[in-house]
Amino acid sequence: MTATPPIVDRDTWQRERDELLVREKAHTRAGSALAAQRRRLPMVEVDGGVTLLGADGPRTVLDMFEGRDQLLTLKHMWHHGKGFAGQCRGCTATLWNFQDATYLEARGVSFAIWCEGPYDEFAPYREFMGYTAPWYSLEGVDSPGISDGWLNAYLRVGDRVFQTFETDGRGVEVMMPALQLLDLTTYGRQEEWEDSPEGWPQDPTQSWFMRDGRPIPQWTRPGVTPTS
């Protein structure tokens, strides 16, 4: 039987919930303070003329702003020759959790995917997954205009382009609301590294990234069956 939290009366539960709420509010305020400091970071100029191949042909980084003042880019790994099921589970989780940039665009921010694979190889995958954000190929591109970060922020000032921020690792979790929601549940993410009570479920063989040999979102795509 899976372990569960102790059972208490409503007053006891409310008291402990209120104690945790104090820490949650402090955490929220700390996050706001970090965001304020992030907005005050200096910026570095990059080559806005770097060209990447997309659905409409070669486009410069400056073009990717689409007339807006800001640009966010997400780097997507690509495993050559691995087929759809063999593509990066972490990149899939990140991008699947962020399907639409409408609210970003309303604040003058464009969004694009920079994929490490060749365009002709990943274009069918983008269509298969149903992604609507523009994808561009990093294949063969070596320029200081292309950040090593997984998630990158740029600012356009006239025809000049500046990088203002980059992050990787768990910094990309900002794009994954599913993780934030799992953190609210009793059993959390059910990952081995989590600090959970004894007996809480953890399955090292099937994380929330993968199931039965595929990144989990792929099982929702038309035509995908257990034998495909």
Side-chain angles (χ1 to χ4, degrees):
M1 181 176 178
T2 304
T4 64
I7 301 173
V8 297
D9 59 79
R10 170 62 65 171
D11 289 343
T12 301
W13 180 88
Q14 190 64 58
R15 183 172 61 254
E16 296 204 19
R17 173 68 192 102
D18 290 344
E19 290 175 358
L20 180 60
L21 183 59
V22 173
R23 296 184 61 190
E24 289 177 337
K25 287 182 177 295
H27 177 75
T28 298
R29 289 192 292 270
S32 296
L34 278 174
Q37 185 176 356
R38 192 178 299 119
R39 290 192 292 272
R40 289 165 172 79
L41 282 174
M43 60 187 184
V44 58
E45 188 163 9
V46 298
D47 184 0
V50 174
T51 299
L52 282 67
L53 182 63
D56 297 322
R59 297 198 73 187
T60 66
V61 173
L62 185 60
D63 292 333
M64 297 176 199
F65 282 80
E66 298 180 341
R68 301 183 180 92
D69 291 334
Q70 299 182 84
L71 171 68
L72 282 171
T73 65
L74 176 69
K75 187 173 290 185
H76 197 294
M77 296 173 63
W78 188 257
H79 302 315
H80 293 263
K82 295 296 184 180
F84 293 172
Q87 294 311 315
C88 178
R89 60 185 187 176
C91 298
T92 302
T94 303
L95 185 53
W96 187 260
N97 272 257
F98 180 79
Q99 294 276 6
D100 188 281
T102 299
Y103 284 103
L104 295 180
E105 293 169 356
R107 287 298 190 192
V109 182
S110 293
F111 178 77
I113 306 301
W114 288 353
C115 184
E116 294 180 337
Y119 182 81
D120 288 345
E121 190 171 329
F122 68 65
Y125 178 75
R126 174 180 177 250
E127 182 178 358
F128 163 72
M129 293 299 295
Y131 294 138
T132 58
W135 282 49
Y136 300 97
S137 175
L138 293 174
E139 179 94 339
V141 176
D142 182 14
S143 168
I146 302 299
S147 169
D148 287 333
W150 295 355
L151 184 60
N152 310 282
Y154 296 90
L155 178 68
R156 179 178 67 85
V157 181
D159 291 334
R160 301 171 69 187
V161 176
F162 300 86
Q163 183 175 4
T164 60
F165 184 72
E166 70 176 22
T167 190
D168 55 22
R170 291 190 62 188
V172 186
E173 288 183 5
V174 68
M175 292 186 61
M176 293 184 269
L179 286 181
Q180 320 311 318
L181 291 172
L182 285 172
D183 284 342
L184 300 181
T185 66
T186 298
Y187 295 130
R189 306 182 189 190
Q190 301 178 39
E191 300 285 351
E192 289 184 299
W193 59 266
E194 283 183 293
D195 180 4
S196 294
E198 186 70 26
W200 255 227
Q202 294 175 341
D203 187 353
T205 63
Q206 298 214 66
S207 73
W208 79 286
F209 290 106
M210 296 284 290
R211 180 165 297 138
D212 300 325
R214 277 187 180 270
I216 288 175
Q218 291 192 7
W219 292 110
T220 70
R221 306 312 300 154
V224 176
T225 66
T227 59
S228 64

